[in-house]
Amino acid sequence: MRMLVIGPPGAGKGTQAERIAGRYGIPAISTGDIFRANVSQGTPLGRQAKDFMDRGAYVPDELTNALVLDRLAQDDTASGFLLDGFPRTLPQVSTLDDCLAEQGGALDAVVQLVAESDEVVTRLLKRAELQGRSDDTEDVIRTRLEVYREQTHPLVAVYADRGLLVSVDAVGDPDEVTERILTAIGGRVIG
Ligand code: AMP
């Protein structure tokens, strides 16, 4: 099973990706988590990524693509994976396409988590209080939403054209959202 989760910041991608990956017994790969781990360990990659992340901008494709190719080359992805937060740009889509073509694999589903801006801003401000992420301030949140709209939302149409898109309402109780996703994916994979 090869999947990815796409949606605006605050839609619950991280939480849902972990749960869905757990159900399918595949690794959830979050580029945001990998970048944050590098920042906190002060690695060269972390030092390069930090400034972009703090501003709510995307880390350049070159760095992000290299990181993902490296991660997808690890053995635990042999039976599948769930990408959380990648791809986010059209060049990243091409990189993933090429990587899958080389492996002789293909995506099974692209889960789009749908939530309005007001809803996700409220959630992100709440997360800021709980986790204190440096990119969860109100200004940076607005920038991240704008960047998502401009650079990532167009990917939804790309995957819809390929017949891979599964759109799920991400508003409501997280357990219910998980069930909605599992039902929607099950329907797609079987049907
Ligand atoms: P996330 O935890 O997915 O919200 O990601 C946090 C931050 O990491 C983003 O705002 C970006 O700065 C960076 N990031 C994560 N994934 C990507 C990606 N696929 N392309 C570029 N930047 C990314």
Side-chain angles (χ1 to χ4, degrees), residues 13 31-33 35-36 52-53 56-59 64 84-88 92 133 135 144:
K13 291 190 298 296
T31 42
D33 281 352
F35 281 133
R36 276 186 291 279
F52 296 100
M53 295 173 76
Y58 285 167
V59 178
T64 309
D84 159 15
F86 183 93
R88 268 171 147 117
Q92 292 181 12
R133 254 176 67 164
D135 58 352
R144 287 163 64 208

Side-chain angles (χ1 to χ4, degrees), residues 2-109:
R2 298 181 186 86
M3 292 185 276
L4 55 96
V5 183
I6 196 166
K13 291 190 298 296
T15 304
Q16 297 299 338
E18 289 287 346
R19 292 179 181 194
I20 303 300
R23 293 285 188 107
Y24 282 93
I26 53 177
I29 300 174
S30 157
T31 42
D33 281 352
I34 299 173
F35 281 133
R36 276 186 291 279
N38 277 275
V39 170
S40 63
Q41 288 159 23
T43 67
L45 175 66
R47 282 199 294 276
Q48 283 173 287
K50 185 179 187 327
D51 181 51
F52 296 100
M53 295 173 76
D54 284 349
R55 281 188 285 122
Y58 285 167
V59 178
D61 286 334
E62 225 177 70
L63 286 177
T64 309
N65 285 334
L67 173 152
V68 171
L69 290 178
D70 185 59
R71 181 64 187 85
L72 291 181
Q74 291 175 26
D75 290 345
D76 65 339
T77 64
S79 60
F81 53 79
L82 198 172
L83 287 168
D84 159 15
F86 183 93
R88 268 171 147 117
T89 65
L90 290 168
Q92 292 181 12
V93 171
S94 302
T95 296
L96 180 61
D97 287 345
D98 293 347
C99 172
L100 289 170
E102 251 174 54
Q103 292 179 354
L107 285 174
D108 295 291

